[in-house]
Amino acid sequence: MLRRKIPLSPPAWAPWLIIAICGWLGFASPLAAQPAAPAGIADILEEAGDLTDPDNRRRAVERVRAFEEQRRASAVAIARARGLPIRVERPDGTVRELVDFKNDRPVYLTTYNTNAA
């Protein structure tokens, strides 16, 4: 009678199965322990606490500034890849500058009162 050897090593997908089962059972993973990035400025201001405290206010301003810079840098990268203008100066003096993308469309801030500057 011939005997076949049955391999005792687990299949290659076994670690992924263990991770999936642990996630399904609700065991925490190291990635889940990291705080989520703020979804917007409102989240940053809510997390800041009492804004009458100068330290809280300073930290909130720094976080908002970093959030806006990151959002604009991302928008500029997308615009360059698509060949869209980043800044437009019109003959009437108005200036349009790219700040973000919403629903896959560019969002520009427009300055109308150039004579007041």
Side-chain angles (χ1 to χ4, degrees):
M1 177 161 129
L2 292 172
R3 287 188 158 183
R4 289 180 53 193
K5 287 188 177 181
I6 299 173
L8 297 178
S9 62
W13 49 265
W16 294 108
L17 178 63
I18 293 169
I19 292 171
I21 291 172
C22 288
W24 181 67
L25 293 175
F27 295 118
S29 72
L31 297 176
Q34 296 175 358
I41 294 174
D43 293 333
I44 293 171
L45 295 176
E46 186 176 323
E47 293 169 3
D50 182 16
L51 292 177
T52 60
D53 178 16
D55 289 333
N56 286 351
R57 190 170 51 249
R58 180 186 48 76
R59 281 191 295 274
V61 167
E62 289 172 0
R63 289 186 66 201
V64 168
R65 184 177 292 127
F67 179 81
E68 288 290 331
E69 288 173 359
Q70 186 274 334
R71 189 165 70 170
R72 184 170 189 284
S74 175
V76 167
I78 294 169
R80 285 193 176 135
R82 295 181 182 180
L84 298 173
I86 296 166
R87 182 180 169 96
V88 177
E89 295 183 22
R90 294 182 153 175
D92 64 353
T94 59
V95 177
R96 297 176 62 200
E97 193 161 353
L98 179 71
V99 292
D100 197 7
F101 271 83
K102 294 283 184 192
N103 298 324
D104 207 34
R105 297 182 63 153
V107 176
Y108 290 90
L109 286 182
T110 304
T111 304
Y112 292 103
N113 61 345
T114 55
N115 59 350

